[in-house]
Amino acid sequence: QVQLVESGGGLVQPGGSLRLSCAASGFSTLEHYAIAWFRQAPGKEREGMSCISRRDGTTYYSASVKGRFTISRDNAKNMGYLQMNSLKPEDTAVYYCKVKPRDDYCSVYATDNSPAWGPGTQVTVSA
């Protein structure tokens, strides 16, 4: 069974940066999985922000984070990452990762409501 643990969150001032990590386990190699990042702010629905495909590493971003966030992966370490720059107060949320062994996952990830989420990591952007 796939297990996910997010880390790297914290308190940062507006304009600052954070790098989130997603440790994935329960399978042989991450290279067979697409990786996506989501966030959920208080009182709001979970939002799909970014995805990286499993075959060629194509990346996808929502309009709210494009140009500021960068998704990446290290298959050898079974790790996914989200580099977040130019953070804004509206980026405050709990951030989650999800992996799926699907070629088309990055086309549908934004609507993924399937269970088995990790604990998430809190990101707070405040002066």
Side-chain angles (χ1 to χ4, degrees):
Q1 185 174 355
V2 174
Q3 293 186 327
L4 303 166
V5 178
E6 303 88 351
S7 63
L11 174 63
V12 62
Q13 293 185 342
S17 298
L18 283 174
R19 188 194 193 204
L20 305 184
S21 298
C22 172
S25 61
F27 47 78
S28 60
T29 175
L30 189 60
E31 68 178 322
H32 300 309
Y33 291 76
I35 306 168
W37 283 94
F38 302 77
R39 65 185 178 188
Q40 187 166 21
K44 295 187 177 180
E45 293 186 354
R46 186 175 285 129
E47 171 193 9
M49 299 179 299
S50 183
C51 189
I52 184 167
S53 69
R54 69 175 183 174
R55 291 197 176 275
D56 58 8
T58 302
T59 57
Y60 302 79
Y61 300 95
S62 66
S64 61
V65 306
K66 191 172 184 178
R68 300 188 298 124
F69 291 10
T70 302
I71 190 171
S72 62
R73 61 192 299 153
D74 186 334
N75 292 335
K77 296 181 180 179
N78 281 356
M79 295 289 294
Y81 303 100
L82 187 68
Q83 177 67 43
M84 306 188 299
N85 299 328
S86 303
L87 283 163
K88 306 175 182 180
E90 50 264 44
D91 293 319
T92 295
V94 179
Y95 285 68
Y96 303 88
C97 62
K98 182 76 75 85
V99 300
K100 290 287 188 180
R102 293 174 53 175
D103 286 338
D104 67 340
Y105 184 55
C106 288
S107 298
V108 300
Y109 79 99
T111 59
D112 186 356
N113 287 313
S114 59
W117 294 91
T121 185
Q122 174 71 48
V123 172
T124 303
V125 185
S126 175

